[in-house]
Amino acid sequence: MASSSAHSRISNLQNHLSPLEANNKLRSLVKISPQVSEALSNGRAVVALESTIISHGMPYPQNLQTAKEVESIVRENGAVPATIAILNGVPCIGLSEEELERLASLGKSVQKTAGRDIAHVVATRGNGATTVSATLFFASMVGIQVFVTGGIGGVHRHANHTMDISSDLTALGRTPIAVISAGVKSILDIPKTLEYLETQEVYVAAYKSDEFPAFFTEKSGCKAPSRVNSPEDCARVIDANMKLNRQAGILFAVPIPKQHSAAGNLIESATQRALTEAREKNVTGNAETPFLLARVNELTGGTSLAANIALVKNNALIGSQIAVALSQLM
């Protein structure tokens, strides 16, 4: 409801104000870092980054180190990183080193914030780490076209009984931004997730592969709906999507680097065990994914966390190249 209300507010603003006035009014609702603001004003490449992976994805100080390394990769490849979070009720687009450290040290005490939670976190002046759906909302608000994450949410296994379907999918269906991820987390039902994305009119393509990746492994057993072979291919798709004024998003699925995919069988076995434990403990809703990822990391002796970090860094590399290629078309 929060995300829907916010979209209604945007629509009302756009109906009564000129495009420039509406854009300035919307931007006044958030805090944009000087670096991100300058880059957006000058048409430079900007890459949005979510913050749930920092607060809930790994322990401190490893989360802080990884966040800094990912931002460095984005910069080294010619783009400006825009990590997104809500701090003291203020949505922040691009974090300072101090803000990044604060978010990392607060860890799981920060609210995991999906699109529906945005209004509540802002109204209560809380701290929120944005999921994919919330990050999409804020990135779209300020005009960022490329968003890098680890893996998106999807249709959970046994969703026919629980109706547990991530709001990431519906957010992608109504937000014209390109998301670069390692596919869908292997803890989910990948075939059903791909079907749901098709229903939402989200363009899905695997990067340099004919098979859709499964987060920790290069292959999921599912044929990718489409294939792209370069950052320039991706940029042309994004550019066409924008010019046609399509309101649905794009998902570019990048396989995990080969040297980190060998542990896939070990991780999949641990995933099955973690799923069983989650059902036995009745872990559901937005608590399920953090529980599963933490448990899989325990069962694999840290192998899954190392793979997670590797794929996020690789996504940041590819995403930055896409953002730069896109900026050259604008």
Side-chain angles (χ1 to χ4, degrees):
M1 294 295 291
S3 181
S4 175
S5 173
H7 277 289
S8 175
R9 186 177 183 184
I10 290 173
S11 178
N12 289 337
L13 280 169
Q14 291 170 336
N15 288 338
H16 294 91
L17 301 175
S18 71
L20 179 60
E21 288 173 327
N23 188 53
N24 289 338
K25 180 67 174 177
L26 289 171
R27 289 193 180 193
S28 72
L29 303 174
V30 301
K31 174 187 171 187
I32 308 177
S33 75
Q35 295 84 359
V36 172
S37 181
E38 181 183 5
L40 290 171
S41 297
N42 295 328
R44 291 182 56 204
V46 179
V47 173
L49 301 167
E50 54 137 313
S51 49
T52 294
I53 192 173
I54 301 171
S55 62
H56 291 69
M58 57 194 75
Y60 181 84
Q62 193 170 24
N63 57 352
L64 177 61
Q65 179 183 348
T66 301
K68 287 182 176 180
E69 289 172 352
V70 168
E71 287 200 348
S72 292
I73 290 169
V74 173
R75 292 189 187 96
E76 288 164 6
N77 286 276
V80 175
T83 300
I84 296 176
I86 302 173
L87 298 175
N88 294 330
V90 179
C92 299
I93 317 296
L95 302 183
S96 66
E97 282 195 24
E98 293 77 13
E99 290 169 333
L100 202 60
E101 177 144 13
R102 180 183 169 206
L103 182 69
S105 61
L106 286 171
K108 293 182 181 179
S109 67
V110 174
Q111 181 172 340
K112 182 179 178 183
T113 305
R116 67 173 185 179
D117 307 308
I118 291 171
H120 175 260
V121 177
V122 170
T124 57
R125 299 183 181 178
N127 296 313
T130 56
T131 64
V132 169
S133 62
T135 306
L136 280 168
F137 176 83
F138 288 121
S140 176
M141 178 184 285
V142 301
I144 299 174
Q145 301 296 330
V146 177
F147 166 30
V148 165
T149 185
I152 66 167
V155 179
H156 281 251
R157 302 185 192 192
H158 311 292
N160 52 320
H161 299 298
T162 65
M163 290 299 291
D164 193 349
I165 300 172
S166 172
S167 62
D168 293 355
L169 305 186
T170 48
L172 259 170
R174 63 169 178 262
T175 314
I177 288 179
V179 176
I180 290 79
S181 82
V184 176
K185 296 182 179 74
S186 53
I187 58 178
L188 304 171
D189 188 320
I190 295 175
K192 285 187 175 68
T193 298
L194 288 172
E195 287 292 342
Y196 199 93
L197 286 167
E198 190 274 333
T199 300
Q200 294 294 313
E201 298 189 18
V202 175
Y203 172 76
V204 178
Y207 188 78
K208 296 184 178 180
S209 176
D210 294 317
E211 188 164 339
F212 190 79
F215 199 62
F216 289 124
T217 60
E218 296 174 273
K219 300 182 183 296
S220 65
C222 299
K223 188 179 187 301
S226 187
R227 172 179 176 141
V228 286
N229 293 310
S230 68
E232 291 73 23
D233 281 353
C234 299
R236 284 190 286 270
V237 172
I238 300 168
D239 186 52
N241 198 59
M242 292 166 55
K243 288 177 178 174
L244 291 166
N245 199 30
R246 290 192 73 251
Q247 295 306 301
I250 295 167
L251 177 63
F252 293 123
V254 181
I256 187 174
K258 288 184 182 294
Q259 63 268 34
H260 293 280
S261 66
N265 290 334
L266 169 66
I267 295 171
E268 181 58 26
S269 175
T271 298
Q272 294 300 329
R273 180 173 167 183
L275 282 164
T276 300
E277 292 179 6
R279 287 196 297 273
E280 291 172 348
K281 296 180 179 180
N282 198 31
V283 179
T284 59
N286 65 5
E288 185 175 17
T289 297
F291 171 84
L292 292 172
L293 292 178
R295 188 68 182 118
V296 169
N297 186 52
E298 291 173 6
L299 292 170
T300 60
T303 299
S304 67
L305 179 57
N308 194 350
I309 292 171
L311 65 84
V312 170
K313 290 181 179 179
N314 186 57
N315 292 347
L317 169 65
I318 303 301
S320 302
Q321 293 172 346
I322 293 170
V324 170
L326 178 64
S327 70
Q328 293 169 349
L329 295 176
M330 307 281 285

